[in-house]
Amino acid sequence: MEALIQAHLAAEERGDPEGSVAVYTDDIEHDVVGDPGGPKHGIPAALEFYRRLCKDFRSESEERTHTYYSDDAVTIENVMTGTVPGSFLGIPGNGRRITFRILHVFEFREGKISRENVWLDGASVIAQLTAPA
């Protein structure tokens, strides 16, 4: 499970949408809570999400702070830092660098990630993107 998570997060950090979804089952449920498009189902929908994300947000680092394991799931809490050349949460980034907490809940089936549920500190993101320069 950990190797799949590491491969997924490394692809995100490289800005590699195809690599980000390579560890998913064909019927992946990708759910970023609060995303206006709602949960995504299947690799094509998840790939579209990551193509947009890689255009709008440049990940620099994710520092893991907590990890919780169960038989077929892993929950990780990270502090993420990156630059927003596009928009994030519907707010223009104007190239700002932001840092925020993010929680991933990964579920696994047949040696791949079958569900990814993401929660992030949207209030912190919004405050950083709307603060006077």
Side-chain angles (χ1 to χ4, degrees), residues 17-109:
E18 288 77 11
S20 296
V21 302
V23 294
Y24 286 166
T25 58
D26 290 339
D27 64 344
I28 181 73
E29 179 184 345
H30 185 270
D31 182 10
V32 177
V33 175
D35 182 60
K40 312 295 184 260
H41 298 276
I43 288 178
L47 182 57
E48 181 181 323
F49 171 86
Y50 279 104
R51 284 181 175 151
R52 186 182 77 238
L53 178 66
C54 289
K55 184 180 114 191
D56 289 339
F57 181 77
R58 304 281 188 266
S59 177
E60 296 173 20
S61 67
E62 276 193 80
E63 176 188 340
R64 193 176 301 192
T65 58
H66 295 91
T67 306
Y68 306 95
Y69 295 98
S70 68
D71 290 339
D72 60 358
V74 176
T75 301
I76 62 172
E77 182 181 346
N78 292 346
V79 175
M80 179 174 262
T81 299
T83 304
V84 186
S87 63
F88 200 63
L89 300 180
I91 301 168
N94 300 311
R96 286 194 179 195
R97 188 171 192 250
I98 60 173
T99 298
F100 56 94
R101 292 173 60 198
I102 185 167
L103 184 81
H104 292 86
V105 181
F106 294 99
E107 294 177 22
F108 301 85
R109 187 179 72 245

